Amino acid sequence: MAQKKKLGELLTRAGLVTEEQIVEAIKEQRSGQKLGDLLLEKGYITEQQLIEVLEFQLGIPHVSLFRYPFQFDLVKLLPIQFARKHIVIPLSRENNILSVAMYDPMDYYAIDDMEMYTGFSIKPVIAAKADILEAITNVYKEAETGESRLETAAEAAPAIRIVEQLISSGVQLKASDIHMDPYETEVQVRYRIDGDLRRERTLPKSIQAAVVARVKILANMNITETRLPQDGRIKLKMENIHVDLRISVLPTVFGEKVVIRILDLSNVIKGLDELDFSEENYQKYSRLIEQPSGLILFTGPTGSGKSSGLYASINHLNREQFNIITVEDPVEFELQGVNQMQVNSSIGLTFATGLRSILRQDPNIIMVGEIRDSETAEIAIRASLTGHLVFSTLHTNNAIASIPRLMDMNIEPYLVVSSVTGVIAQRLVKRICRDCKETYTPTNVEADLLEKHGLESDTLYRGRGCNSCKQTGYKGRMAVHEMLVVDDKIRELLIQQSSVDAIKQTALENGMKMLVDDGLEKAVQGMTTVDEVLRITVDS
């Protein structure tokens, strides 16, 4: 075994992090969290840099697991629970030495345990975390197929194991959703990672009913009801990570389709500085939310990060001197020190009735999950005009469209104009993978597009594709924004019922950047690509 060394020392010696950053990270380290994972999470290093340092400093080789010829008899030397917990998978054996792919080859406790489990000396090699987890899911599944055939459909063990594997893989791969799509002869399992669905495995049709029933039991649903849609929720802890699962079951012609939304509670509550605002927008938004009253709206389609913005704002203002109350459907994340109310339409507790009750609770700050109807809109607006700071969301394509949208809800224009202080429209774009980012010269079309939006650059960026990003060139997502601050000039135009184009022109003169402008600036800075910006914006 390699001489025992500390990861922090290797990384500081390589010049990738400072001693101060290591000390700061150790202070923030959660119980059971690896230092390498925390440094990756904080953006101090990339996974490729980590692999290269360990490979060079420890002399441990790096292996790609793409189409690796795994041997099932060796894989099964380690239980799948152990393999997932320590992110390891056996590769090959030579005499009394077992080569094992490890995400953390400095996990000497895991190496000792593997030697006890297998009776072999362990020779670690390094592989990417996502590659090992994907291999564990696929290879163990194939190794166990023969055994599964021997188990009867009445036994619960296969269904329990499969559901546990699906959820665990989703958490490890940082998927936002797991889809179980039923077809005539099989069930396809897809994970939504960085906004895109990827098929990861296929389940036999024979176990579909048992797997769906297992999910329903966990979510306290009616397992005998297969003709109507159902919704549920599961809270659990997996490998020291608290996760909240939202379950949706929908009847289709080939059985029930299940979608599991994964909310990783440890990475949810962000600071304002983690919302990907440009420096200019960050300053504007900080001033907006420090005002004692007004209505602040987040707009965008489902899955565009509106909830993250709301929670970050509430968390930023969460101080002892403020009474903060929310009404949500559902309560996605529990905030210490904030009074959160769950909508329950079946008993008449709607956004509007909940909001009325909140106003009798002497609040300073109110968050309404969504403005869906004119009644909720009117109460929220009147609350903002009587000394309350109100946050909410609205479904519109851009920031300026929110104002006429509220007026379309039969709200008196003067109320809308007087109450709304700011609107933030946002979308999510994919981040360029830091491990394979490269520069290139913009095409003529890209250069013209940049010039049209007041930008100029001889260099743009893209990801060429690597093992770390599964050859996609992207890893993770970030937000692009459009922020409308409703000042006196904008209010005057609104009172005069000026056209949307006139309001837009004035907002642009006041420094507002459209979604495409913010996105292109981030592309020039090397955070995302022009293709991604154009995918989520309408270039006007």
Side-chain angles (χ1 to χ4, degrees):
M1 190 190 299
Q3 180 187 357
K4 294 189 177 183
K5 299 180 182 179
K6 292 187 176 180
L7 178 63
E9 294 174 6
L10 298 181
L11 293 172
T12 50
R13 190 185 306 160
L16 293 175
V17 295
T18 64
E19 289 185 12
E20 290 77 14
Q21 287 174 322
I22 293 292
V23 171
E24 179 191 340
I26 290 172
K27 286 179 182 175
E28 296 180 22
Q29 208 169 355
R30 299 187 295 270
S31 174
Q33 185 181 32
K34 292 181 182 292
L35 178 62
D37 281 336
L38 182 55
L39 295 172
L40 288 169
E41 188 180 295
K42 294 178 74 65
Y44 291 161
I45 57 172
T46 69
E47 186 172 23
Q48 190 61 35
Q49 288 173 330
L50 180 60
I51 288 172
E52 288 172 358
V53 165
L54 295 175
E55 188 175 15
F56 178 74
Q57 299 278 7
L58 300 180
I60 298 175
H62 168 230
V63 65
S64 170
L65 301 185
F66 183 64
R67 293 183 178 171
Y68 191 90
F70 291 97
Q71 300 172 47
F72 294 153
D73 59 329
L74 294 182
V75 168
K76 297 197 71 178
L77 289 172
L78 295 176
I80 188 170
Q81 293 84 359
F82 181 93
R84 283 187 186 283
K85 179 179 179 182
H86 296 285
I87 314 180
V88 299
I89 190 166
L91 299 179
S92 61
R93 189 187 110 191
E94 187 174 345
N95 299 323
N96 198 41
I97 298 174
L98 182 68
S99 290
V100 178
M102 301 183 68
Y103 166 60
D104 180 8
M106 299 179 71
D107 188 345
Y108 303 112
Y109 292 112
I111 292 173
D112 290 342
D113 288 345
M114 284 191 285
E115 289 181 340
M116 284 201 326
Y117 260 120
T118 65
F120 297 116
S121 295
I122 300 299
K123 177 186 174 186
V125 297
I126 308 168
K129 183 177 183 178
D131 287 356
I132 298 176
L133 291 170
E134 184 175 5
I136 290 170
T137 297
N138 295 333
V139 178
Y140 275 88
K141 176 199 69 175
E142 291 180 39
E144 291 171 359
T145 300
E147 297 171 14
S148 296
R149 286 180 186 145
L150 300 176
E151 296 170 328
T152 66
E155 291 175 326
I160 292 172
R161 186 172 61 246
I162 287 169
V163 171
E164 184 181 308
Q165 287 174 3
L166 293 179
I167 295 172
S168 180
S169 294
V171 172
Q172 293 283 3
L173 293 171
K174 298 190 184 306
S176 61
D177 302 88
I178 306 170
H179 288 240
M180 287 185 245
D181 300 312
Y183 293 99
E184 189 172 6
T185 60
E186 64 185 19
V187 178
Q188 289 185 6
V189 178
R190 297 182 294 169
Y191 291 91
R192 189 176 293 282
I193 301 170
D194 292 341
D196 293 334
L197 281 169
R198 300 183 200 163
R199 188 169 74 175
E200 292 291 333
R201 68 184 287 186
T202 302
L203 302 177
K205 190 73 174 176
S206 59
I207 64 168
Q208 176 185 337
V211 169
V212 173
R214 177 62 185 165
V215 173
K216 285 182 172 181
I217 289 169
L218 290 173
N220 292 318
M221 293 180 183
N222 182 355
I223 64 170
T224 62
E225 179 55 77
T226 58
R227 300 163 301 168
L228 293 172
Q230 293 189 66
D231 295 302
R233 184 173 182 175
I234 305 171
K235 278 191 173 185
L236 46 83
K237 184 178 180 181
M238 305 195 80
E239 296 156 22
N240 294 315
I241 298 173
H242 290 276
V243 291
D244 198 344
L245 308 176
R246 300 292 156 75
I247 316 297
S248 173
V249 179
L250 186 75
T252 74
V253 290
F254 293 121
E256 291 174 288
K257 172 180 169 65
V258 177
V259 175
I260 302 174
R261 169 151 288 191
I262 302 173
L263 302 170
D264 180 351
L265 300 182
S266 62
N267 289 321
V268 160
I269 307 303
K270 297 181 176 181
L272 289 187
D273 57 347
E274 298 175 279
L275 294 181
D276 304 315
F277 283 129
S278 65
E279 182 58 34
E280 184 180 349
N281 280 340
Y282 177 80
Q283 297 299 334
K284 286 181 180 178
Y285 190 68
S286 298
R287 288 193 294 270
L288 268 180
I289 66 172
E290 290 297 339
Q291 295 177 13
S293 64
L295 176 60
I296 296 173
L297 297 170
F298 276 83
T299 77
T302 302
S304 60
K306 299 189 297 294
S307 293
S308 294
L310 287 178
Y311 277 102
S313 305
I314 292 294
N315 202 45
H316 179 79
L317 296 168
N318 190 2
R319 303 163 197 161
E320 185 181 352
Q321 65 265 38
F322 291 147
N323 178 20
I324 304 176
I325 309 181
T326 74
V327 53
E328 307 170 56
D329 183 23
V331 172
E332 293 192 12
F333 314 112
E334 294 169 7
L335 293 170
Q336 186 71 30
V338 176
N339 305 282
Q340 296 171 273
M341 182 192 301
Q342 171 97 28
V343 165
N344 187 345
S345 301
S346 63
I347 60 170
L349 180 53
T350 62
F351 278 120
T353 55
L355 191 46
R356 275 201 196 90
S357 299
I358 284 175
L359 291 173
R360 293 192 286 270
Q361 289 280 317
D362 184 32
N364 300 100
I365 299 166
I366 299 168
M367 184 182 99
V368 185
E370 184 183 343
I371 293 179
R372 295 177 180 171
D373 53 57
S374 56
E375 188 179 12
T376 306
E378 183 162 1
I379 301 168
I381 285 171
R382 291 190 182 279
S384 70
L385 291 173
T386 53
H388 304 91
L389 183 60
V390 182
F391 293 89
S392 192
T393 67
L394 201 62
H395 285 282
T396 57
N397 288 330
N398 56 59
I400 294 173
S402 298
I403 308 295
R405 173 82 178 97
L406 288 172
M407 292 178 180
D408 289 344
M409 289 181 169
N410 296 320
I411 309 298
E412 291 291 342
Y414 76 91
L415 290 176
V416 176
V417 173
S418 305
S419 62
V420 179
T421 52
V423 185
I424 300 88
Q426 72 175 51
R427 302 287 189 279
L428 295 181
V429 294
K430 298 190 191 99
R431 284 185 186 272
I432 297 173
C433 174
R434 291 174 60 192
D435 288 324
C436 62
K437 183 160 75 171
E438 63 181 13
T439 59
Y440 71 97
T441 302
T443 64
N444 290 338
V445 172
E446 288 172 331
D448 289 344
L449 179 65
L450 292 178
E451 184 180 352
K452 178 181 174 183
H453 290 274
L455 297 168
E456 186 179 344
S457 178
D458 296 330
T459 303
L460 285 174
Y461 302 83
R462 64 191 170 200
R464 64 179 174 274
C466 65
N467 287 338
S468 180
C469 62
K470 292 187 176 293
Q471 309 302 325
T472 63
Y474 298 102
K475 194 168 185 180
R477 290 191 292 174
M478 66 181 300
V480 295
H481 301 95
E482 179 177 296
M483 189 176 301
L484 172 67
V485 177
V486 183
D487 58 13
D488 291 340
K489 286 183 181 177
I490 299 292
R491 284 198 177 90
E492 190 175 334
L493 290 173
L494 291 169
I495 291 169
Q496 294 169 358
Q497 297 185 339
S498 301
S499 67
V500 169
D501 285 340
I503 296 168
K504 177 181 172 181
Q505 187 58 41
T506 301
L508 290 172
E509 289 169 3
N510 288 354
M512 183 182 87
K513 288 186 171 65
M514 306 299 288
L515 282 167
V516 67
D517 296 314
D518 191 48
L520 289 175
E521 282 188 7
K522 286 169 178 170
V524 168
Q525 292 164 12
M527 300 178 186
T528 188
T529 62
V530 171
D531 285 346
E532 267 298 285
V533 175
L534 295 181
R535 179 182 66 81
I536 55 89
T537 61
V538 179
D539 179 24
S540 54

